[in-house]
Structure formats: structure tokens, C-alpha cells
Amino acid sequence: MKERIVVKIGSQILSRKDGMLDLTRMSALVDQIAELHKNNIEVILVSSGAVASGKSEIKAKAKLDTISARQLYSSIGQVKLINRYYDLFQQQGIICGQILVTKEDFATRRHYLNQRNCMSVMLDNKVIPIVNENDAISVNELMFTDNDELSGLVAAMMGAKKLIILSNIDGIYSDNPSKPEAYIFREIDIKKDDIENCIQSSKSATGRGGMTTKYNVARRAAEEGIEVIIANGRRDNILVDLIKGKDVVSTRFKPSGKGTNSIKKWIAHSDGFTKGEIHINKCAAEVLLSDKAVSLLPVGVTKISGNFEADDIVRIIDEKGKQVGIGRTSYSSEKAKETIGKNNKKAIVHYDYLYIEK
Ligand SMILES: Nc1ncnc2c1ncn2[C@@H]1O[C@H](COP(=O)(O)OP(=O)(O)O)[C@@H](O)[C@H]1O
Ligand SMILES: N[C@@H](CCC(=O)OP(=O)(O)O)C(=O)O
């Protein structure tokens, strides 16, 4: 089987000081991805840069609020960004394609599977998927923390062995990177090392989540058995050197030995998505575990725990305390409690939003 990796490129790497796309850097990174691709490595690219690229294209007629500005800039900038990628990959004889996603696409199993299928069919046909958040339509609670979070979700979903997060800095420093005494952590063993306190809330001019999300995403991905490397995208030949195993300055998160199946990964990487538990009786568990396409009805529910809203993702637990599946609830926890054990009520988890672990 081919080696599969996810490469995330931050906005800062792709934009020059004047706000224009840094075509030289972009082209250097595309050349490296092309080299990996030609060496039979499947690369999924998660690229930021839409908002930064859009800003330099248009001056808004009136002062915009944050959401409208992000929508306007990203809608223009994404076109520019993907066109550049398309041309650069084409010069290498490679086809790339665009996938724009929202957080919702990871909260709904069907969307999740659609996405996974889309990326798989692209990779099977030697197309490089270029993923970005659909900034034009994902606002507020629909937004990912940033593209670092998205890259972790994509790596887990696609069963990637490695996730390389390229930023404008060599890795995670022990202190504020501007301090002379700060040094880079070269390897982090998540079982032993907790370096959260070393990270400042500061971030680059165009970056969204800063180093904190990179660290959190890297920890979670490493727990799932994915090797994560945070490195500087401005260093020459960084990707190829990292893949060749050269000793380039960077922060590497040692992957844990255990691998998990895709639904577990979905849950593990969506800690914000499972908000509570629905406990069910023996009869309901039997029906759900059968081959029938059934929804979970309140009549089979014995207990609700946690606080959740309608449409949140919850765990479904049988009477022995074993998780039988996960699903998207149609009720808030408050409403769900009122319907426990009652007949003739609408499904608490509709079949379309139910995933049963068999
Ligand atoms: N301990 C630390 N080590 C490295 N960088 C840090 C640390 N604490 C905060 N940072 C900041 O995180 C920034 C990288 O995050 P971000 O701006 O989101 O980049 P990107 O746009 O590539 O996602 C660095 O430029 C740096 O200013
Ligand atoms: N989706 C946004 C990127 C937001 C983001 O996460 O930026 P960064 O922290 O630079 O990776 C864009 O394309 O502008």
C-alpha cells in the first residue's frame, strides 16, 4: 500500500508582506509535493490562504464586520489560490482538485463518508486533493478552530501515516520564540511530555489558531497513531527532507502504537461533537443491532446524561454500559428527558443520523 500523508500549509507561508500570494514559495512547495507524488506517496494538501489572497484583490465599499470581510475575501481569494495551485501542479504534469468543507461535514456521518469517498477517488486517480475550509459559508459555531484542526480531521479520516504542519516557524519553542534562551522541542512523547505552558497565545498576522491548536491537534493525531511534524514551510526542500528522514529542525510528535477504526477516529477527533449519552434498554439495543433500518425511539430510552442541544452528536449506551453506537439527536437533553420511555414520540436519533458499531 502507498504511503499517505497530509500536508497543511498555513496562510503566513503563502502570503508576502504586501498581502500578495508568495508565488515563489508556493511553487517551491508544489515542486516538493510533485516530487513526493512521483515517488508514489499520496499527498493530501490542506491549504490556508484564501482570506489572505482575497484581501489584496478588493477594497470593500464600506467598512465590513469580521464575518462579512472573511466571506468576501475568502470567496475571491479561494478562486485565486486554487487557480495558482492548478497551474503550478499542471506544470508538473499533475492534476489537483478542490474540496471545501465545513465542520458540519465531520459531524454528520453521511457527509463524512461522502468526503472520504471523494478524497479516495481523487487519490485513486492520482489527483491531489487540496482541502480548505469553506470560509464563505462557515461562520461562528460552524467554523473549525482553524485549518490545523481540519488537517488533523482529514489525516484521521483518510488513515494517513503522517501529518506535516508547515508554518512560519521551525517548531514548538520552549518559550516565546523571540527570547534568545528559547529552544525547539525536537521530539514530543505525548505520554510523558506536557508542554502546553510553553505556548504563547501570539500568532502570525494572518494565522487563526496559533501554536495552541497545532499542539492540541498534534497530540490528538499522535494518540491515533499518526506521526505529526511541525516544521517551517519557508525552509528549502523541507517536505522532501522530512520524508527522507533527514535531521531537519522541526518538532516531531511520536505516534502511539495503537491504531483505531475510522468511527473511533471520528469521535476522537470530534471531542466537541459528542456531548452526552442516551442509555437504552435491551429491546432497543437488539433492534438497533439487527439489520433493520430503524431509528431510535424514546420508548427504548432509559436515561439521558450530559447537556446537549438538538442536532448534537451523542453516544448510545446499552444497559450493560457498552457503547453501541453514536448518533445525532433530534432533541435537546432537556426535551429528551421528558420523553424517556414514552410511546408515539418522534425518533430521538433518526436512522439517517445513526451509526451502530457492529
Ligand atoms: N512556543 C511557541 N513556539 C513556536 N511558536 C509559537 C509559540 N507560541 C506561540 N507561537 C506562535 O505561533 C505562530 C504559528 O501559528 P499561526 O500564526 O497560527 O501559523 P499558521 O498561519 O502557519 O497556521 C508562530 O508564528 C508564533 O508566533
Ligand atoms: N480557511 C482560511 C484559513 C484559516 C486558518 O486556519 O489559517 P492558518 O492559521 O494560517 O492555517 C483561509 O483559507 O484563509
Side-chain angles (χ1 to χ4, degrees), residues 27-43:
S27 162
L29 287 164
V30 167
D31 290 351
Q32 293 176 58
I33 294 171
E35 186 174 335
L36 300 179
H37 182 84
K38 284 167 192 166
N39 282 303
N40 263 336
I41 295 173
E42 288 180 334
V43 183

PDB file of all heavy atoms in Angstrom, residues 27-43:
ATOM      1  N   SER A  27       5.319  27.828  -5.344  1.00  0.00           N
ATOM      2  CA  SER A  27       5.863  26.997  -6.416  1.00  0.00           C
ATOM      3  C   SER A  27       6.891  26.002  -5.852  1.00  0.00           C
ATOM      4  O   SER A  27       6.923  24.830  -6.243  1.00  0.00           O
ATOM      5  CB  SER A  27       6.464  27.949  -7.452  1.00  0.00           C
ATOM      6  OG  SER A  27       7.313  27.285  -8.267  1.00  0.00           O
ATOM      7  N   ALA A  28       7.698  26.460  -4.880  1.00  0.00           N
ATOM      8  CA  ALA A  28       8.699  25.565  -4.279  1.00  0.00           C
ATOM      9  C   ALA A  28       7.999  24.416  -3.546  1.00  0.00           C
ATOM     10  O   ALA A  28       8.440  23.259  -3.614  1.00  0.00           O
ATOM     11  CB  ALA A  28       9.572  26.354  -3.310  1.00  0.00           C
ATOM     12  N   LEU A  29       6.899  24.728  -2.870  1.00  0.00           N
ATOM     13  CA  LEU A  29       6.184  23.677  -2.135  1.00  0.00           C
ATOM     14  C   LEU A  29       5.495  22.707  -3.099  1.00  0.00           C
ATOM     15  O   LEU A  29       5.489  21.502  -2.884  1.00  0.00           O
ATOM     16  CB  LEU A  29       5.171  24.308  -1.161  1.00  0.00           C
ATOM     17  CG  LEU A  29       5.826  24.968   0.060  1.00  0.00           C
ATOM     18  CD1 LEU A  29       4.873  25.905   0.781  1.00  0.00           C
ATOM     19  CD2 LEU A  29       6.355  23.898   1.023  1.00  0.00           C
ATOM     20  N   VAL A  30       4.929  23.265  -4.177  1.00  0.00           N
ATOM     21  CA  VAL A  30       4.286  22.399  -5.172  1.00  0.00           C
ATOM     22  C   VAL A  30       5.333  21.464  -5.790  1.00  0.00           C
ATOM     23  O   VAL A  30       5.096  20.264  -5.969  1.00  0.00           O
ATOM     24  CB  VAL A  30       3.564  23.242  -6.255  1.00  0.00           C
ATOM     25  CG1 VAL A  30       3.180  22.391  -7.452  1.00  0.00           C
ATOM     26  CG2 VAL A  30       2.312  23.901  -5.656  1.00  0.00           C
ATOM     27  N   ASP A  31       6.522  21.997  -6.087  1.00  0.00           N
ATOM     28  CA  ASP A  31       7.586  21.155  -6.658  1.00  0.00           C
ATOM     29  C   ASP A  31       7.912  19.986  -5.719  1.00  0.00           C
ATOM     30  O   ASP A  31       8.113  18.858  -6.156  1.00  0.00           O
ATOM     31  CB  ASP A  31       8.866  21.970  -6.886  1.00  0.00           C
ATOM     32  CG  ASP A  31       8.696  22.963  -8.036  1.00  0.00           C
ATOM     33  OD1 ASP A  31       7.660  22.890  -8.734  1.00  0.00           O
ATOM     34  OD2 ASP A  31       9.592  23.806  -8.230  1.00  0.00           O
ATOM     35  N   GLN A  32       7.952  20.290  -4.435  1.00  0.00           N
ATOM     36  CA  GLN A  32       8.278  19.230  -3.474  1.00  0.00           C
ATOM     37  C   GLN A  32       7.154  18.191  -3.399  1.00  0.00           C
ATOM     38  O   GLN A  32       7.406  16.992  -3.345  1.00  0.00           O
ATOM     39  CB  GLN A  32       8.499  19.830  -2.086  1.00  0.00           C
ATOM     40  CG  GLN A  32       9.720  20.709  -1.999  1.00  0.00           C
ATOM     41  CD  GLN A  32       9.814  21.351  -0.629  1.00  0.00           C
ATOM     42  OE1 GLN A  32       9.866  20.672   0.381  1.00  0.00           O
ATOM     43  NE2 GLN A  32       9.813  22.671  -0.582  1.00  0.00           N
ATOM     44  N   ILE A  33       5.916  18.681  -3.397  1.00  0.00           N
ATOM     45  CA  ILE A  33       4.779  17.734  -3.350  1.00  0.00           C
ATOM     46  C   ILE A  33       4.796  16.874  -4.615  1.00  0.00           C
ATOM     47  O   ILE A  33       4.560  15.667  -4.567  1.00  0.00           O
ATOM     48  CB  ILE A  33       3.436  18.487  -3.183  1.00  0.00           C
ATOM     49  CG1 ILE A  33       3.413  19.175  -1.812  1.00  0.00           C
ATOM     50  CG2 ILE A  33       2.241  17.553  -3.329  1.00  0.00           C
ATOM     51  CD1 ILE A  33       2.253  20.120  -1.580  1.00  0.00           C
ATOM     52  N   ALA A  34       5.128  17.513  -5.742  1.00  0.00           N
ATOM     53  CA  ALA A  34       5.196  16.771  -7.009  1.00  0.00           C
ATOM     54  C   ALA A  34       6.264  15.677  -6.922  1.00  0.00           C
ATOM     55  O   ALA A  34       6.062  14.550  -7.396  1.00  0.00           O
ATOM     56  CB  ALA A  34       5.501  17.732  -8.148  1.00  0.00           C
ATOM     57  N   GLU A  35       7.383  16.007  -6.309  1.00  0.00           N
ATOM     58  CA  GLU A  35       8.455  15.005  -6.182  1.00  0.00           C
ATOM     59  C   GLU A  35       7.977  13.817  -5.335  1.00  0.00           C
ATOM     60  O   GLU A  35       8.189  12.659  -5.689  1.00  0.00           O
ATOM     61  CB  GLU A  35       9.698  15.655  -5.554  1.00  0.00           C
ATOM     62  CG  GLU A  35      10.875  14.702  -5.537  1.00  0.00           C
ATOM     63  CD  GLU A  35      12.173  15.340  -5.049  1.00  0.00           C
ATOM     64  OE1 GLU A  35      12.325  16.585  -5.162  1.00  0.00           O
ATOM     65  OE2 GLU A  35      13.022  14.573  -4.548  1.00  0.00           O
ATOM     66  N   LEU A  36       7.267  14.124  -4.244  1.00  0.00           N
ATOM     67  CA  LEU A  36       6.751  13.044  -3.390  1.00  0.00           C
ATOM     68  C   LEU A  36       5.735  12.204  -4.164  1.00  0.00           C
ATOM     69  O   LEU A  36       5.758  10.976  -4.135  1.00  0.00           O
ATOM     70  CB  LEU A  36       6.085  13.618  -2.128  1.00  0.00           C
ATOM     71  CG  LEU A  36       6.982  14.462  -1.207  1.00  0.00           C
ATOM     72  CD1 LEU A  36       6.181  14.972  -0.013  1.00  0.00           C
ATOM     73  CD2 LEU A  36       8.167  13.641  -0.716  1.00  0.00           C
ATOM     74  N   HIS A  37       4.854  12.915  -4.880  1.00  0.00           N
ATOM     75  CA  HIS A  37       3.807  12.264  -5.676  1.00  0.00           C
ATOM     76  C   HIS A  37       4.445  11.307  -6.702  1.00  0.00           C
ATOM     77  O   HIS A  37       3.997  10.174  -6.872  1.00  0.00           O
ATOM     78  CB  HIS A  37       3.014  13.371  -6.386  1.00  0.00           C
ATOM     79  CG  HIS A  37       1.876  12.905  -7.215  1.00  0.00           C
ATOM     80  ND1 HIS A  37       0.634  12.647  -6.699  1.00  0.00           N
ATOM     81  CD2 HIS A  37       1.788  12.669  -8.543  1.00  0.00           C
ATOM     82  CE1 HIS A  37      -0.177  12.274  -7.673  1.00  0.00           C
ATOM     83  NE2 HIS A  37       0.508  12.277  -8.809  1.00  0.00           N
ATOM     84  N   LYS A  38       5.517  11.780  -7.345  1.00  0.00           N
ATOM     85  CA  LYS A  38       6.181  10.945  -8.358  1.00  0.00           C
ATOM     86  C   LYS A  38       6.887   9.764  -7.711  1.00  0.00           C
ATOM     87  O   LYS A  38       7.194   8.777  -8.355  1.00  0.00           O
ATOM     88  CB  LYS A  38       7.152  11.794  -9.184  1.00  0.00           C
ATOM     89  CG  LYS A  38       6.376  12.664 -10.192  1.00  0.00           C
ATOM     90  CD  LYS A  38       7.205  13.741 -10.827  1.00  0.00           C
ATOM     91  CE  LYS A  38       6.263  14.711 -11.566  1.00  0.00           C
ATOM     92  NZ  LYS A  38       6.894  15.958 -11.951  1.00  0.00           N
ATOM     93  N   ASN A  39       7.156   9.879  -6.410  1.00  0.00           N
ATOM     94  CA  ASN A  39       7.759   8.762  -5.676  1.00  0.00           C
ATOM     95  C   ASN A  39       6.703   7.916  -4.979  1.00  0.00           C
ATOM     96  O   ASN A  39       6.973   7.287  -3.944  1.00  0.00           O
ATOM     97  CB  ASN A  39       8.781   9.281  -4.665  1.00  0.00           C
ATOM     98  CG  ASN A  39      10.081   9.635  -5.360  1.00  0.00           C
ATOM     99  OD1 ASN A  39      10.692   8.813  -6.023  1.00  0.00           O
ATOM    100  ND2 ASN A  39      10.475  10.889  -5.254  1.00  0.00           N
ATOM    101  N   ASN A  40       5.507   7.962  -5.537  1.00  0.00           N
ATOM    102  CA  ASN A  40       4.425   7.089  -5.069  1.00  0.00           C
ATOM    103  C   ASN A  40       3.895   7.385  -3.672  1.00  0.00           C
ATOM    104  O   ASN A  40       3.368   6.500  -3.011  1.00  0.00           O
ATOM    105  CB  ASN A  40       4.868   5.627  -5.114  1.00  0.00           C
ATOM    106  CG  ASN A  40       4.372   4.981  -6.372  1.00  0.00           C
ATOM    107  OD1 ASN A  40       3.377   5.452  -6.951  1.00  0.00           O
ATOM    108  ND2 ASN A  40       5.044   3.937  -6.798  1.00  0.00           N
ATOM    109  N   ILE A  41       4.074   8.615  -3.231  1.00  0.00           N
ATOM    110  CA  ILE A  41       3.496   8.983  -1.934  1.00  0.00           C
ATOM    111  C   ILE A  41       2.211   9.748  -2.215  1.00  0.00           C
ATOM    112  O   ILE A  41       2.207  10.680  -3.026  1.00  0.00           O
ATOM    113  CB  ILE A  41       4.479   9.842  -1.112  1.00  0.00           C
ATOM    114  CG1 ILE A  41       5.706   8.985  -0.772  1.00  0.00           C
ATOM    115  CG2 ILE A  41       3.822  10.375   0.167  1.00  0.00           C
ATOM    116  CD1 ILE A  41       6.826   9.732  -0.116  1.00  0.00           C
ATOM    117  N   GLU A  42       1.121   9.336  -1.582  1.00  0.00           N
ATOM    118  CA  GLU A  42      -0.146  10.041  -1.786  1.00  0.00           C
ATOM    119  C   GLU A  42      -0.186  11.249  -0.860  1.00  0.00           C
ATOM    120  O   GLU A  42      -0.066  11.098   0.357  1.00  0.00           O
ATOM    121  CB  GLU A  42      -1.318   9.117  -1.458  1.00  0.00           C
ATOM    122  CG  GLU A  42      -1.513   8.036  -2.502  1.00  0.00           C
ATOM    123  CD  GLU A  42      -2.667   7.112  -2.179  1.00  0.00           C
ATOM    124  OE1 GLU A  42      -3.015   6.964  -0.988  1.00  0.00           O
ATOM    125  OE2 GLU A  42      -3.213   6.524  -3.113  1.00  0.00           O
ATOM    126  N   VAL A  43      -0.343  12.423  -1.457  1.00  0.00           N
ATOM    127  CA  VAL A  43      -0.359  13.647  -0.642  1.00  0.00           C
ATOM    128  C   VAL A  43      -1.744  14.285  -0.695  1.00  0.00           C
ATOM    129  O   VAL A  43      -2.306  14.484  -1.776  1.00  0.00           O
ATOM    130  CB  VAL A  43       0.681  14.674  -1.149  1.00  0.00           C
ATOM    131  CG1 VAL A  43       0.701  15.904  -0.236  1.00  0.00           C
ATOM    132  CG2 VAL A  43       2.065  14.058  -1.235  1.00  0.00           C
TER     133      VAL A  43
END
